[in-house]
Amino acid sequence: RRGPAMAHGHGRCSCCGEAAAADGGRGSAWGLYLRIDRQRLQCLNERREGSGALVFRAWEERGDRAQFVESDDDEELLFNIPFTGNVKLKGVIVMGEDDSTHPAEMRLFRNIPHMSFDDAAREPDQMFSLNRDPTGELEYPTKIARFSNVYHLSIHFPKNFGAETTKIFYIGLKGEWTEAHRHEVTICNYEASANPADHKLEQITPQTHFIS
């Protein structure tokens, strides 16, 4: 059952074969940043407005230390990440400094748009204890069954390793993307409303034929 589904998903996902061949497949797997609706992306408690969006970029560019987000009032950060379709999220990378500003815990929530810090008090869909990862190599695998139909992802970093503020250079999201099925729904509705007329014709035709 898993085989065909994966093959089908892969055909429509955001992977690029040539890029995969170039770097052994690692970078192309982390292409979900291309599927983020950046107009609606939010980062709560960011010190510099708009800096939260900078950490979602190509895996190959994760080493760019000029692009980072730092928390403001305390160590907490909360990202609200809407996608341009439906995502099957398979893994997350979190890269920070090799010091106490690195986040120590990550909590994932699916499909709760506009989450606030108050909302983040609820039970997450998955939680990770993080290790310091200054090179962006550690992958945290998600429970794929739980994250197989995600249109909005919230990532909450409640604490770090002891510093007053939290600093993140890169967040990588791995998975598959499919278009939202809005068009298909329209077509189905149209077909459904056309059906009664079709059936009426079918019923009349045999009766007429039978009488003659």
Side-chain angles (χ1 to χ4, degrees):
R1 205 168 71 96
R2 240 177 114 211
M6 283 173 70
H8 171 76
H10 188 80
R12 299 172 65 183
C13 82
S14 57
C15 306
C16 167
E18 288 170 29
D23 75 344
R26 186 76 200 265
S28 62
W30 299 90
L32 281 184
Y33 72 96
L34 294 167
R35 305 301 187 179
I36 294 172
D37 182 348
R38 289 182 180 267
Q39 300 299 315
R40 290 164 49 228
L41 175 71
Q42 286 181 315
C43 178
L44 305 188
N45 198 36
E46 59 184 5
R47 177 169 291 184
R48 202 170 77 250
E49 194 178 338
S51 57
L54 302 175
V55 303
F56 299 97
R57 55 184 189 270
W59 187 76
E60 295 83 0
E61 295 169 17
R62 69 195 185 286
D64 180 359
R65 297 258 156 194
Q67 301 194 67
F68 64 88
V69 62
E70 188 171 3
S71 63
D72 192 12
D73 294 334
D74 54 27
E75 74 274 28
E76 281 189 271
L77 282 168
L78 175 61
F79 293 87
N80 281 314
I81 307 155
F83 295 105
T84 58
N86 291 319
V87 163
K88 181 188 283 186
L89 184 68
K90 296 181 174 181
V92 182
I93 285 176
V94 180
M95 176 181 151
E97 292 275 26
D98 194 10
D99 62 17
S100 56
T101 64
H102 195 292
E105 191 177 286
M106 171 172 67
R107 305 165 80 241
L108 303 181
F109 301 86
R110 65 184 179 87
N111 300 344
I112 310 174
H114 312 297
M115 269 191 79
S116 66
F117 283 111
D118 289 341
D119 297 327
R122 71 173 76 188
E123 190 71 26
D125 289 295
Q126 195 168 354
M127 191 171 88
F128 300 91
S129 290
L130 302 181
N131 294 306
R132 289 190 184 95
D133 183 14
T135 55
E137 298 286 342
L138 294 176
E139 178 181 339
Y140 298 93
T142 60
K143 297 170 182 166
I144 294 176
R146 197 168 283 184
F147 291 94
S148 63
N149 195 13
V150 180
Y151 59 84
H152 185 284
L153 177 70
S154 297
I155 308 179
H156 179 217
F157 297 99
K159 60 184 181 181
N160 57 27
F161 286 95
E164 284 183 21
T165 60
T166 296
K167 209 169 183 182
I168 297 173
F169 287 94
Y170 169 79
I171 296 176
L173 302 174
K174 183 170 86 169
E176 295 170 13
W177 175 88
T178 50
E179 245 176 297
H181 296 310
R182 291 192 195 102
H183 301 305
E184 289 174 31
V185 170
T186 314
I187 292 164
C188 293
N189 290 344
Y190 172 75
E191 286 173 355
S193 59
N195 276 345
D198 295 342
H199 290 311
K200 209 179 287 179
L201 281 171
E202 284 164 22
Q203 285 163 6
I204 292 166
T205 314
Q207 285 172 354
T208 317
H209 182 70
F210 178 74
I211 292 164
S212 62

